[in-house]
């Protein structure tokens, strides 16, 4: 890890420095766990009291919080964003594959692999696939026929990219992700399931990040499309012909059923599910464990997951819920009686 002085950090972040610019910083840490040589950050006012006890050599904070800390400080408008940028500068994550092509890789003669790409051990690259400049393909990954991987894109180990899939530049795919597997398409003929070949593909834009063990299915006829600047967490299921527009974030274990369209700059909480053929407009926030059964046409915050409570209270609530129909009928009878 490269160490930075506070002056260098302030310059990198375009921020105001108050304190010893020559002080060397070795690591980023939380306020609670920081020690000498560490820089911490305050992004949530509920942790402001920790400024009094932190052992950090410096703190990144906002102008509103600067007065509460007497030590070395980097003052910025958005401490959390600056923490993210500094973490990128100090990142020690290794490459997913070393330079060049590993001797154990199996690459079809018709595949086009950039000389600057890195291909890990036991990678398989099929016919007419294209691997862009400075791409990294992690060990045991599979790149199908005619698939395209853009420049600067990084695949961690055991990623499977099926035939005809297109992935843009500067994307990041975590381990065991599967892109382009068959969508769940079947017809029923007198009790027998008849498979419908999935003839579309998956098109992924630039700067898309996809978490570990997430699956994105290929389209039935048209393509499944993930636009640029989308982030998808671990263990999500994106079904065939879904379209996710730019700037949207999808948290872990979320399921998007077939032909769902998600607008721009949406946030979908973990373990949410969206029924097939629904659409969600731009600027929607769906809180965790929500079930979306009809399209959302107005921006805002939507919820349906039931917060936890004691088992006793939950059982009581469910009992009341089961009696709602009867209660409604009795209420209508009382209202009719009062009117007569």
């Amino acid at each position: 890890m490269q160490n930075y002085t506070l002056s260098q950090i302030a310059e990198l972040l375009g921020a105001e420095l108050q304190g010893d610019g020559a002080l060397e910083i070795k690591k980023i840490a939380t306020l609670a766990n920081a020690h000498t040589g560490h820089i911490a950050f305050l992004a949530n006012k509920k942790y402001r009291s920790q400024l009094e006890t932190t052992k950090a050599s410096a703190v990144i904070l906002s102008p509103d919080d600067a007065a509460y800390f007497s030590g070395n400080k980097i003052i910025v408008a958005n401490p959390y964003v600056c923490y993210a940028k500094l973490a990128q500068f100090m990142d020690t994550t290794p490459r997913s594959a070393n330079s060049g092509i590993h001797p154990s890789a199996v690459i079809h003669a018709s595949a086009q692999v950039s000389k600057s790409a890195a291909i890990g051990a036991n990678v398989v690259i099929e016919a007419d696939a294209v691997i862009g400049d400075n791409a990294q393909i992690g060990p045991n990954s599979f790149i199908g026929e005619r698939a395209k991987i853009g420049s600067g894109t990084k695949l961690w180990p055991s990623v499977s990219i099926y035939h005809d899939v297109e992935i843009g530049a500067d994307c990041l795919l975590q381990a065991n992700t599967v892109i382009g597997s068959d969508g769940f398409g079947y017809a029923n003929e007198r009790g027998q399931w008849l498979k419908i070949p999935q003839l579309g593909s998956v098109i992924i834009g630039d700067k898309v990040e996809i978490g570990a063990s997430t699956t994105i299915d290929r389209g039935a006829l048209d393509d499944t499309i993930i636009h640029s600047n989308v982030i998808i967490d671990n263990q999500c299921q994106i079904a065939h012909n879904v379209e996710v527009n730019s700037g949207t974030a999808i948290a872990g274990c979320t399921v998007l059923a077939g032909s769902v369209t998600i607008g721009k700059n949406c946030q979908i909480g973990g373990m949410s599910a969206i029924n097939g053929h629904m659409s969600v407009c731009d600027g929607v926030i769906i809180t965790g464990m929500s079930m979306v059964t009809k399209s959302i046409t107005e921006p805002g915050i939507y919820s349906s997951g039931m917060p936890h409570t004691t088992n006793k209270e939950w059982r009581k609530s469910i009992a009341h819920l089961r009696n709602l129909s009867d209660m409604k009928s009795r209420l209508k009878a009382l209202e009719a009686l009062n009117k007569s």
Side-chain angles (χ1 to χ4, degrees), residues 23-300:
L23 181 68
E24 193 171 74
I25 298 298
K26 302 176 182 178
K27 183 180 178 181
I28 308 172
T30 62
L31 286 167
N33 296 320
H35 295 286
T36 301
H38 296 174
I39 187 168
F41 66 97
L42 176 64
N44 189 324
K45 290 187 179 355
K46 74 178 184 178
Y47 297 112
R48 185 185 277 169
S49 62
Q50 294 183 7
L51 291 173
E52 300 176 4
T53 57
T54 187
K55 297 178 181 178
S57 294
V59 177
I60 301 171
L61 33 65
S62 69
D64 291 341
D65 292 318
Y68 296 90
F69 184 64
S70 59
N72 300 301
K73 45 197 166 189
I74 301 286
I75 302 174
V76 295
N78 191 325
Y80 196 70
V81 168
C82 285
Y83 149 64
K85 291 180 178 179
L86 183 58
Q88 291 180 359
F89 291 126
M90 303 183 74
D91 186 16
T92 59
T93 303
R95 295 170 59 87
S96 63
N98 294 322
S99 300
I101 299 173
H102 193 278
S104 64
V106 178
I107 302 176
H108 194 277
S110 65
Q112 301 176 44
V113 179
S114 169
K115 292 181 179 179
S116 61
I119 310 299
N122 302 313
V123 167
V124 174
I125 301 178
E126 297 284 23
D128 299 315
V130 177
I131 310 298
D133 295 342
N134 300 306
Q136 300 174 40
I137 311 299
N140 302 309
S141 292
F142 170 83
I143 311 297
E145 293 184 10
R146 302 176 299 279
K148 296 179 181 179
I149 308 296
S151 61
T153 286
K154 180 177 183 178
L155 276 57
W156 280 102
S158 302
V159 171
S160 295
I161 307 297
Y162 280 51
H163 55 285
D164 297 313
V165 167
E166 296 183 17
I167 299 176
D170 300 315
C171 295
L172 175 63
L173 279 66
Q174 299 290 348
N176 300 307
T177 289
V178 178
I179 310 294
S181 50
D182 280 357
F184 197 57
Y186 297 86
N188 193 291
E189 184 180 28
R190 296 187 297 275
Q192 298 298 312
W193 291 110
L194 180 66
K195 183 174 178 59
I196 301 172
Q198 302 293 281
L199 305 179
S201 186
V202 179
I203 309 298
I204 295 177
D206 300 333
K207 296 183 178 178
V208 172
E209 299 202 3
I210 302 173
S213 299
T214 281
T215 300
I216 301 179
D217 290 339
R218 68 194 311 107
L221 293 172
D222 297 326
D223 299 325
T224 301
I225 301 175
I226 310 297
H227 289 269
S228 298
N229 191 35
V230 167
I231 53 175
I232 302 172
D233 200 0
N234 301 335
Q235 298 179 337
C236 292
Q237 162 65 23
I238 312 295
H240 57 186
N241 299 110
V242 165
E243 181 173 6
V244 180
N245 280 280
S246 61
T248 285
I250 301 174
C253 299
T254 288
V255 175
L256 305 185
S259 299
V260 162
T261 299
I262 306 295
K264 297 178 181 179
N265 302 312
C266 294
Q267 299 176 39
I268 302 176
M271 297 187 70
S272 294
I274 301 181
N275 276 10
H277 303 273
M278 299 294 106
S279 62
V280 175
C281 69
D282 298 347
V284 166
I285 297 174
I286 298 173
T287 61
M289 298 187 69
S290 291
M291 179 69 186
V292 178
T293 58
K294 62 180 181 179
S295 293
I296 298 175
T297 59
E298 295 290 335

